[in-house]
Amino acid sequence: DAKTTQPNSMESNEEEPVHLPCNHSTISGTDYIHWYRQLPSQGPEYVIHGLTSNVNNRMASLAIAEDRKSSTLILHRATLRDAAVYYCIPRGLRANNLFFGTGTRLTVIP
Amino acid sequence: GAVVSQHPSRVICKSGTSVKIECRSLDFQATTMFWYRQFPKQSLMLMATSNEGSKATYEQGVEKDKFLINHASLTLSTLTVTSAHPEDSSFYICSARGSKSRYGEQFFGPGTRLTVL
């Protein structure tokens, strides 16, 4: 499994954009980049994933570097409900497991 | 999305007793289910993977005789913590992958907080 590096914590003001970085320099060519988040005292939830191109969905956008060694999860307008730990997980599409690193704890300031 | 439930959400038991936790996929068929454990201020650690109708595959260091996993149907998996001890106190989370996983994503339950006295 590719190793990931994420900041331990980040802060954002409410209604401002947030860019959550992830380095995955050992990612293999077939690994997708998945992002999950875990709200306090809850199970994780899927946020977004991508392979090479930037991706958008109703929750977030994912910007993937051209060399795929890093990616950035973008929350366009942070709300208090976005306060969570965000995990970046490179993973093969057919791989069975998800291995969670330490993630980034996002604090949203009202 | 797809919904996964867990029951109970919280359980307190005495040392030496066994506790069963249920994980259900409510609106899809889960061909594979996963059990994770999370200690305070730590990340999730995968305990085991189970495919419907097969024996679970345990991660290194997880005692299969202590953490019994049954995945008898496409919508239900159970984790039984046998002879629980205080060090087993943790947040247990299941996830499921199946008919609604277009990209192999897992759908997680809300977790069960186990406290062993």
Side-chain angles (χ1 to χ4, degrees):
Chain A
D1 301 306
K3 206 170 179 182
T4 60
T5 304
Q6 296 180 254
N8 286 334
S9 62
M10 291 183 66
E11 284 187 354
S12 171
N13 292 319
E14 196 176 7
E15 298 193 3
E16 289 189 358
V18 184
H19 291 233
L20 298 163
C22 180
N23 285 324
H24 32 76
S25 57
T26 60
I27 191 170
S28 80
T30 54
D31 280 351
Y32 283 72
I33 300 151
H34 290 250
W35 283 80
Y36 283 74
R37 72 179 185 181
Q38 186 178 21
L39 278 65
S41 299
Q42 295 187 30
E45 63 174 340
Y46 165 82
V47 178
I48 200 168
H49 80 282
L51 183 63
T52 54
S53 306
N54 294 345
V55 185
N56 299 298
N57 67 18
R58 62 174 179 82
M59 289 180 72
S61 296
L62 177 60
I64 302 171
E66 199 170 330
D67 64 5
R68 293 191 359 106
K69 294 186 177 181
S70 65
S71 61
T72 302
L73 180 72
I74 302 164
L75 306 179
H76 295 285
R77 284 179 70 237
T79 69
L80 296 178
R81 289 167 49 191
D82 291 322
V85 179
Y86 287 79
Y87 298 96
C88 155
I89 307 174
R91 175 180 170 274
L93 197 59
R94 297 187 191 282
N96 226 6
N97 306 335
L98 283 174
F99 288 100
F100 288 80
T102 53
T104 296
R105 181 174 299 278
L106 175 66
T107 301
V108 180
I109 301 167
Chain B
V3 182
V4 175
S5 70
Q6 278 185 244
H7 178 79
S9 58
R10 188 179 294 267
V11 57
I12 301 172
C13 69
K14 291 183 179 178
S15 187
T17 61
S18 294
V19 174
K20 181 186 280 190
I21 302 169
E22 290 187 351
C23 176
R24 293 182 185 273
S25 56
L26 298 186
D27 56 354
F28 69 103
Q29 293 185 330
T31 48
T32 308
M33 284 184 161
F34 306 85
W35 287 95
Y36 295 81
R37 180 167 55 181
Q38 185 174 34
F39 292 107
K41 299 196 185 302
Q42 293 187 24
S43 190
L44 283 79
M45 296 295 294
L46 180 67
M47 298 176 67
T49 302
S50 72
N51 293 301
E52 184 263 337
S54 303
K55 284 186 181 179
T57 302
Y58 290 81
E59 294 299 304
Q60 194 171 6
V62 177
E63 300 174 57
K64 62 179 182 181
D65 294 330
K66 181 170 180 64
F67 298 100
L68 302 179
I69 292 171
N70 185 285
H71 188 175
S73 79
L74 284 171
T75 58
L76 174 64
S77 176
T78 59
L79 167 67
T80 301
V81 183
T82 62
S83 187
H85 290 284
E87 58 265 31
D88 298 322
S89 298
S90 189
F91 193 45
Y92 291 86
I93 307 169
C94 73
S95 71
R97 189 177 68 194
S99 56
K100 282 199 175 183
S101 302
R102 290 179 61 195
Y103 311 108
E105 67 269 36
Q106 294 179 21
F107 301 100
F108 286 81
T112 296
R113 190 162 301 282
L114 170 64
T115 303
V116 185
L117 302 176

